[in-house]
Amino acid sequence: DVQLQASGGGLVQAGGSLRLSCAASGFILDDYEICWFRQAPKKEREGVFCISSSEGKEWFADSVKGRFTISRDNAKNTGYLQMNSLKPDDTAIYYCAATRKGLSGAVAGYDYWGQGTLVTVSS
């Protein structure tokens, strides 16, 4: 089975940090673009930070610029989202996704999705 398993969410105070992990199984993540999305209550799912399979290209939302970084460890078949200087507005369920269609921050561009991990940032 092709699966993505997101983990690392939790409750953190504003200004704190969390690192999310996205472990892939059933396929080689190295061949895929990886993207993190989030969905806050009553809001649409939105792209947060994405990284290409090669070339190191990135896409990110303006709202996370300078605070979040993305990385991948192909040997572990895992992607990561490091989130620093967290704000209450970052509270959401975070999803990781993978695609071979090219780098994009659009939900429709991704074929494989993890189950989501909840990030709650208290003020």
Side-chain angles (χ1 to χ4, degrees):
D1 286 347
V2 172
Q3 287 189 342
L4 289 170
Q5 180 76 31
S7 61
L11 173 63
V12 63
Q13 289 187 330
S17 297
L18 283 173
R19 188 176 81 154
L20 305 183
S21 299
C22 177
S25 59
F27 66 105
I28 300 173
L29 196 57
D30 191 14
D31 297 335
Y32 290 73
E33 281 70 50
I34 304 169
C35 198
W36 288 93
F37 293 84
R38 67 186 180 187
Q39 188 164 17
K42 300 182 181 180
K43 291 189 176 180
E44 297 290 319
R45 191 172 298 188
E46 62 176 2
V48 176
F49 220 129
C50 313
I51 186 169
S52 63
S53 60
S54 60
E55 303 176 341
K57 292 182 178 179
E58 297 178 348
W59 175 95
F60 54 86
D62 287 343
S63 59
V64 304
K65 183 178 181 180
R67 301 188 299 122
F68 291 11
T69 57
I70 195 170
S71 61
R72 58 195 304 157
D73 185 336
N74 292 328
K76 294 183 178 180
N77 222 30
T78 300
Y80 303 96
L81 182 68
Q82 178 67 44
M83 306 186 296
N84 299 327
S85 302
L86 282 161
K87 305 175 182 180
D89 283 350
D90 295 319
T91 295
I93 299 174
Y94 283 71
Y95 300 88
C96 62
T99 188
R100 297 185 71 172
K101 297 176 184 177
L103 190 65
S104 166
V107 170
Y110 288 79
D111 301 310
Y112 303 118
W113 290 83
Q115 84 289 1
T117 185
L118 177 62
V119 172
T120 304
V121 184
S122 63
S123 57

